[in-house]
Amino acid sequence: MKKLLTAASLAAMSPVAVAAQEASLDDKINDAFAASTGWFVTFIFAPLPFDVAGASFPWIVMWLVIGAMVFTIYFGAIQFRAFGHAISLVKGDYSDPDDAGEVSHFQALTTALSGTVGLGNIAGVAVAVGIGGPGATFWMIFAGLLGMASKFTECTLGVKFRNEYDDGSVSGGPMYYMTKGFAERGLPGGKILAVFFSIFCILGALGGGNMFQANQAHAQISGITGDYPGWITGVIFAVVVFAVIVGGIKSIANVTEKVVPFMGIMYVVCALIILLVNYDQIGWAFGQIWAGAFTGLGVAGGFVGALIQGFKRAAFSNEAGVGSAAIAHSAVRTKEPVTEGVVSLLEPFIDTVVICTMTALVITISGVLVMDPASGNFVLNEAGTAIQTVDGSSGVQLTSAAFATGFSWFPYVLAVAVVLFAFSTMISWSYYGLKAWTYLVGEGQAQELAFKIIFCIFIVIGAAAKLGAVINFSDAMIFAMAVVNITALYFLMPIVKAEMNSYFGRLKSGEIVKHKH
């Protein structure tokens, strides 16, 4: 009887009570995870021990920006000198179909872009502009241009030290150039760095590259359709993602080469239409960006606040120096490592300089940020931590509100964009995590299938649960990858320089020629 009563009482429980129990389980998991991993998250995102002009600066952002500066100087501003050649390579002008590899330059570029172009371009930019003002955009662009040199360095090494197998497949990325590159230079510690990088990459792929994407996609969809259980979104995503990733990098590349241009063009076109409708304010907006970059225009933290927010957004958005892109680019069909390094430098340009700037311009022109008409400065919120907005929104809601000033129906387009961004990010990060996984446990179909199933299970968990601490931890893991990766890049820079000088010397002499297709 007691069992029957228990069953009856459970059956009679209201949906609210069930939801409360589920929430409490989420909270328990979240609290337990935060207690055990909080120290690592705090360490990765900790500010420098000294303030910069009175403002705190996360050391991991400084680590990425300084690395980008070093690579820019060391390689003679390669991102500007080779920009035109990068376009030619993406077009396939120098592609030899007989070269080893699995995907074209364009497919490798879109696969890597699909892992970076995403919610950071929509929500992250809104956070940066909301706190640092339009001036944050200038520093975002500046850091994005510097980051192009970091991508060049890591992706050249990715192809240089990849493993090529008899069946035509390849495996590459930081874990391989750490192991082989350090051995070539007679340096110790390469394998240790590779193991740490692989662990960070797997955990980052399951969290930031997977659970977070599923969680945000569900939030956006349910905001349009009405609330419903997250596991439904998770299962649908998991089935579609598995159908794509089970086919390997070729299948992933075939999808990303169609999805990435579509979603990127769709988003940019919407932004351009709003800018054209408000064409008379474009000059004013660029003036705000320029003036705000050096004066702050009264925003939180002044000009240093704008600089920090811009650098943070660029670093968090394009992942230059993290090492993830080198895994995707390693699969390209080429016998010249430098060609893929050159192609990869387009990523921060497209991601940060183009798409992030479009978002920032729309937010600035739309009027959603409150200004004081008397002084021309922005009005801060009551806490003094961010600019006051017309409807109190921030993040993705602020971007949605800005676009809605031009199109009342834009939240629906944004929902489609978020879903596409989330989907493309998940399939790219599944490949990154897979290659780190097989580096640790060995190559083979069984090992690969095991990881793909685990990855898809985490999609359902991410969409259904509200595990903030898990997401924070996985974000920290992604930036921990950058600590290990940039350390290795400093030691391996001379190899990249020798490759670069050799390639461009042969290109100039006419030894490297275009192929007819």
Side-chain angles (χ1 to χ4, degrees), residues 66-83 145-157 338 341-342 345 486 488-502 504:
I66 289 176
M69 287 180 176
V70 169
F71 302 135
T72 297
I73 295 167
Y74 187 77
F75 296 112
I78 184 68
Q79 61 265 58
F80 306 112
R81 293 191 295 116
F83 194 88
L145 292 172
L146 289 177
M148 293 164 73
S150 300
K151 282 281 174 89
F152 167 79
T153 310
E154 60 194 9
C155 292
T156 298
L157 288 168
V338 169
V342 170
L345 60 80
I486 290 180
L489 296 183
Y490 286 142
F491 287 104
L492 301 176
M493 287 192 303
I495 295 175
V496 178
K497 195 161 197 176
E499 288 284 336
M500 180 185 75
N501 292 338
S502 169
F504 283 104

Side-chain angles (χ1 to χ4, degrees), residues 7 22 58 92 131 138 216 278 288 294 314 363 413 493 498:
E22 289 176 352
I131 297 174
F138 175 88
Q216 292 299 296
N278 300 281
Q288 290 287 308
F294 301 101
I363 291 171
V413 176
M493 287 192 303

Side-chain angles (χ1 to χ4, degrees), residues 390-409:
V390 172
D391 59 357
S393 60
S394 62
V396 70
Q397 288 81 18
L398 178 59
T399 304
S400 184
F403 274 88
T405 60
F407 309 108
S408 60
W409 43 262

Side-chain angles (χ1 to χ4, degrees), residues 71-434:
F71 302 135
T72 297
I73 295 167
Y74 187 77
F75 296 112
I78 184 68
Q79 61 265 58
F80 306 112
R81 293 191 295 116
F83 194 88
H85 188 55
I87 302 295
S88 296
L89 288 166
V90 170
K91 286 165 54 184
D93 293 347
Y94 293 88
S95 298
D96 185 344
D98 296 327
D99 285 342
E102 298 184 76
V103 297
S104 68
H105 286 297
F106 180 72
Q107 288 176 321
L109 177 65
T110 55
T111 300
L113 266 175
S114 69
T116 57
V117 176
L119 294 169
N121 305 80
I122 300 174
V125 173
V127 172
V129 175
I131 297 174
T137 312
F138 175 88
W139 297 111
M140 182 176 67
I141 294 170
F142 180 73
L145 292 172
L146 289 177
M148 293 164 73
S150 300
K151 282 281 174 89
F152 167 79
T153 310
E154 60 194 9
C155 292
T156 298
L157 288 168
V159 177
K160 168 79 173 173
F161 293 108
R162 67 186 179 182
N163 283 355
E164 297 175 4
Y165 304 109
D166 293 338
D167 63 356
S169 63
V170 298
S171 288
M175 47 278 188
Y176 291 94
Y177 60 67
M178 288 168 187
T179 307
K180 294 181 177 180
F182 273 56
E184 183 175 300
R185 295 207 65 203
L187 299 170
K191 287 187 177 179
I192 295 172
L193 288 175
V195 169
F196 274 109
F197 179 88
S198 297
I199 292 169
F200 294 153
C201 184
I202 291 167
L203 293 172
L206 292 175
N210 181 347
M211 295 174 70
F212 174 71
Q213 306 301 322
N215 191 281
Q216 292 299 296
H218 173 69
Q220 191 68 23
I221 294 169
S222 61
I224 297 293
T225 63
D227 198 27
Y228 67 93
W231 65 264
I232 297 175
T233 301
V235 169
I236 294 170
F237 262 101
V239 170
V240 177
V241 168
F242 185 78
V244 173
I245 67 177
V246 75
I249 184 61
K250 289 182 180 179
S251 176
I252 292 171
N254 285 334
V255 172
T256 58
E257 75 171 343
K258 298 175 181 68
V259 172
V260 172
F262 171 75
M263 68 186 187
I265 291 170
M266 179 184 71
Y267 189 76
V268 169
V269 166
C270 285
L272 282 173
I273 292 173
I274 290 179
L275 295 178
L276 289 172
V277 169
N278 300 281
Y279 70 92
D280 56 323
Q281 297 183 58
I282 293 176
W284 170 82
F286 276 111
Q288 290 287 308
I289 289 171
W290 177 257
F294 301 101
T295 66
L297 290 176
V299 301
F303 116 82
V304 175
L307 180 147
I308 291 172
Q309 289 302 320
F311 277 5
K312 278 174 69 175
R313 179 42 39 214
F316 287 19
S317 180
N318 62 49
E319 296 173 13
V322 169
S324 53
I327 301 173
H329 284 282
S330 296
V332 75
R333 280 191 297 272
T334 186
K335 60 178 178 291
E336 298 285 353
V338 169
T339 60
E340 202 51 28
V342 170
V343 167
S344 71
L345 60 80
L346 293 173
E347 282 170 40
F349 183 83
I350 295 169
D351 177 275
T352 306
V353 179
V354 176
I355 298 179
C356 285
T357 302
M358 285 290 185
T359 304
L361 281 172
V362 170
I363 291 171
T364 302
I365 283 175
S366 67
V368 292
L369 302 177
V370 178
M371 291 190 74
D372 177 7
S375 66
N377 288 340
F378 291 101
V379 177
L380 297 181
N381 59 17
E382 290 185 9
T385 55
I387 298 172
Q388 186 177 326
T389 57
V390 172
D391 59 357
S393 60
S394 62
V396 70
Q397 288 81 18
L398 178 59
T399 304
S400 184
F403 274 88
T405 60
F407 309 108
S408 60
W409 43 262
F410 186 78
Y412 297 97
V413 176
L414 190 66
V416 174
V418 168
V419 169
L420 288 175
F421 285 154
F423 171 67
S424 63
T425 299
M426 281 190 279
I427 60 176
S428 293
W429 272 94
S430 73
Y431 183 71
Y432 302 158
L434 172 66

